[in-house]
Amino acid sequence: MRLLHAVYNRVPEPVRVLLRKHRELLRFAVVGGTCFVITVAINYALKLTILTDKPVSAQAISVVIATIVSYVLNREWSFRTRGGRERAHEAALFFLISGIGVALNSAPLWVSRYLFHLQEPAVTRLTQEIADFASGMILGTLLAMVFRWWAFKKWVFPQADARPRPVRPTRSERAALRAAEAQAEQDRAA
């Protein structure tokens, strides 16, 4: 986190104001980027090994795994101050919305493969893989991301500041607190 703060402090003030204003969206994007990498890695691991004939299944499985990671990261980081629901209800809504997101994510790949027939032997392996990546990884992810952002804020984490973060004292406040505790200890010992 120190690295992030160091970079943040070097950004010009007008940009910092913009970053502060949209920090929830930026955190959501970082979580999304992380989960995108997880999705791509698992998808290709499955697609190139045990699910060679089932690319939509490989993508759906990879998206489900990334969704579990996404829940933890979004709840504890992106939307950490939002809430307003019991945890079980919140999780159920998160996974319901994410399930819809999985369908939205998989739909462009399904269309590419089975409606447009962009698969071997109708096209070359390279064309198939480019079409899979463009439709499944890029278009599908963007579609699902926009839907999830809207739905998470509307239904899963509807109330801002429902889980306020405890305010951490600054370095100087911590030093003053330690000094006061040390003085109190000395007074008790005397």
Side-chain angles (χ1 to χ4, degrees), residues 111-129:
V111 168
S112 172
R113 277 285 181 119
Y114 304 116
L115 287 183
F116 295 154
H117 302 289
L118 295 175
Q119 61 184 334
E120 290 183 299
V123 297
T124 66
R125 172 82 180 216
L126 179 63
T127 302
Q128 171 185 292
E129 294 307 316

Side-chain angles (χ1 to χ4, degrees), residues 62-149:
S62 65
V63 170
V64 167
I65 292 168
T67 298
I68 293 166
V69 173
S70 173
Y71 174 68
V72 173
L73 293 177
N74 276 309
R75 184 177 200 292
E76 300 302 326
W77 191 54
S78 302
F79 299 112
R80 69 179 169 207
T81 61
R82 297 181 73 89
R85 304 196 181 285
E86 291 179 25
R87 191 172 212 155
H89 188 211
E90 177 186 272
L93 284 172
F94 184 94
F95 287 107
L96 173 68
I97 287 166
S98 293
I100 296 168
V102 169
L104 287 172
N105 201 312
S106 299
L109 177 60
W110 187 89
V111 168
S112 172
R113 277 285 181 119
Y114 304 116
L115 287 183
F116 295 154
H117 302 289
L118 295 175
Q119 61 184 334
E120 290 183 299
V123 297
T124 66
R125 172 82 180 216
L126 179 63
T127 302
Q128 171 185 292
E129 294 307 316
I130 290 171
D132 284 0
F133 189 81
S135 62
M137 291 295 144
I138 303 297
L139 184 59
T141 298
L142 287 173
L143 220 99
M145 182 184 68
V146 169
F147 169 73
R148 284 181 179 126
W149 170 253

Side-chain angles (χ1 to χ4, degrees), residues 42-53:
I42 294 171
N43 178 52
Y44 279 104
L46 292 172
K47 190 172 149 181
L48 297 174
T49 58
I50 60 175
L51 293 175
T52 54
D53 295 334

